[in-house]
Amino acid sequence: MSTLLTIAVTTGLSETEISSVLGLVAKAVAVDQSPALNEAALLQLRRSHAATKHLLVSQNQDLVGYAQLAAGPEWSAGQLVVAPDHRRQGIGTQLLRRLIMESTTPLRVWAMGDTPAAGALAARAGMVRRRELLIMERPLDGELPEPAVPRGVQIRTFQVGHDEQEWLRVNAAAFAQHPEQALIDINDLEDRMAEPWFDPAGFFVALKDNAMIGFHWTKQHQDQLGEVYVLGVAPSAAGQGVGKALLLTGLRSLQERGSTRVELYVEADHAAAIQLYLAYGFATASRDVMYAQS
């Protein structure tokens, strides 16, 4: 390996550095046919945060590896990606070791896709599987049934400038046990609403007695791919058919906007949600794995 290999650690990236990382990510995606970094990491890449560190590996001044460390009070989340033409040279191992060294709380690392290479890298660092995230898909080329909206419930689209605080309340209640989704705050919400893909016409909320009780936020990707971005129901409204009505409302909207298939992400141990999605034609296509220090 070249002696000119360097690792730089920073909490803020220049526009040139961001562009280089995005170029590296694009190369990895083209080869792996799967995301190199998850959405949270991409948001942190473009919007600097004091608790986030960026690790840049350069060889002869070319970026060949990138890792991100988001510090948390109980554990820290890491992700890493190596340029396809520089793999099997120890760069991933060096990045993971540096993530462990830089982390002040126990490290957990997301691996996009359940690949043998990621598992072997984690094992060499003494890390074990902690969580699995299923990526489920279904086609949208057939007719979808009309949503059966429960009596007294109204479904409408999200109103920017009006619904933010109510959404945060319901989201926190619906995902109270989720290690990331429950922590979404107004800044996180505004970051996502500032993304080019955001469209309130695909963001549905369910109301009862003028109070929000659930939501289905959809996302339209390129290549006619839609996403059940996040679907949540307040605990007080669970088991009343609100989730099913919201799911179908969102799927029909994606179909109307040109999506021919749809994907979603769900925790592998969330049996109730998985059963709902299986009942509506979804099947597991792949999975992401979180490895943790044992």
Side-chain angles (χ1 to χ4, degrees):
M1 184 176 296
S2 169
T3 56
L4 296 178
L5 183 73
T6 61
I7 300 181
V9 182
T10 180
T11 56
L13 296 173
S14 68
E15 289 299 321
T16 299
E17 289 171 328
I18 293 172
S19 179
S20 294
V21 174
L22 291 175
L24 172 62
V25 167
K27 291 177 182 178
V29 170
V31 170
D32 301 332
Q33 296 298 301
S34 63
L37 301 174
N38 66 19
E39 182 194 55
L42 290 172
L43 284 171
Q44 293 283 17
L45 176 65
R46 295 191 294 266
R47 295 173 173 82
S48 60
H49 192 284
T52 301
K53 292 182 179 180
H54 306 273
L55 286 64
L56 305 167
V57 182
S58 299
Q59 190 174 51
N60 301 327
Q61 300 184 333
D62 293 327
L63 185 69
V64 297
Y66 170 77
Q68 185 181 113
L69 179 67
E74 297 182 4
W75 54 274
S76 298
Q79 295 181 55
L80 63 90
V81 56
V82 176
D85 56 352
H86 284 77
R87 292 173 180 173
R88 299 181 181 87
Q89 299 179 19
I91 295 173
T93 299
Q94 291 191 50
L95 276 172
L96 183 54
R97 288 174 178 169
R98 191 61 181 266
L99 283 172
I100 293 172
M101 184 179 73
E102 294 286 340
S103 181
T104 57
T105 52
L107 178 66
R108 300 180 183 180
V109 176
W110 276 113
M112 303 299 106
D114 190 9
T115 65
L121 177 61
R124 288 195 296 270
M127 305 183 82
V128 298
R129 297 169 78 102
R130 177 60 59 88
R131 286 169 59 194
E132 293 185 14
L133 196 62
L134 303 184
I135 296 91
M136 304 183 75
E137 296 182 359
R138 62 151 290 170
L140 282 178
D141 51 4
E143 186 175 353
L144 292 166
E146 190 80 25
V149 181
R151 184 184 299 273
V153 174
Q154 174 197 2
I155 294 179
R156 62 163 172 79
T157 53
F158 185 89
Q159 297 177 358
V160 177
H162 178 270
D163 287 333
E164 286 84 349
Q165 291 302 323
E166 269 287 272
W167 183 85
L168 288 170
R169 178 188 65 79
V170 177
N171 177 74
F175 293 95
Q177 304 304 315
H178 195 281
E180 290 109 8
Q181 189 68 26
L183 302 179
I184 294 289
D185 61 19
I186 187 62
N187 292 323
D188 298 319
L189 176 59
E190 289 176 347
D191 279 348
R192 286 155 176 78
M193 291 169 61
E195 287 292 287
W197 59 263
F198 175 70
D199 182 0
F203 191 166
F204 301 93
V205 298
L207 307 174
K208 187 172 185 178
D209 299 326
N210 294 317
M212 193 181 300
I213 58 171
F215 57 87
H216 182 185
W217 190 348
T218 69
K219 182 177 182 180
Q220 182 69 53
H221 296 266
Q222 297 177 346
D223 303 323
Q224 297 177 300
L225 172 66
E227 181 181 344
V228 178
Y229 185 56
V230 58
L231 172 66
V233 177
S236 61
Q240 300 176 24
V242 177
K244 294 178 182 178
L246 283 166
L247 177 61
L248 281 172
T249 298
L251 293 181
R252 288 166 64 94
S253 171
L254 287 168
Q255 190 179 57
E256 290 168 1
R257 285 181 284 158
S259 293
T260 58
R261 61 191 179 96
V262 59
E263 68 177 10
L264 59 84
Y265 293 74
V266 61
E267 297 287 338
D269 61 357
H270 196 331
I274 292 171
Q275 287 302 313
L276 171 64
Y277 297 135
L278 288 172
Y280 282 89
F282 285 88
T284 300
S286 61
R287 65 187 68 212
D288 294 341
V289 179
M290 173 178 274
Y291 295 93
Q293 290 179 294
S294 57

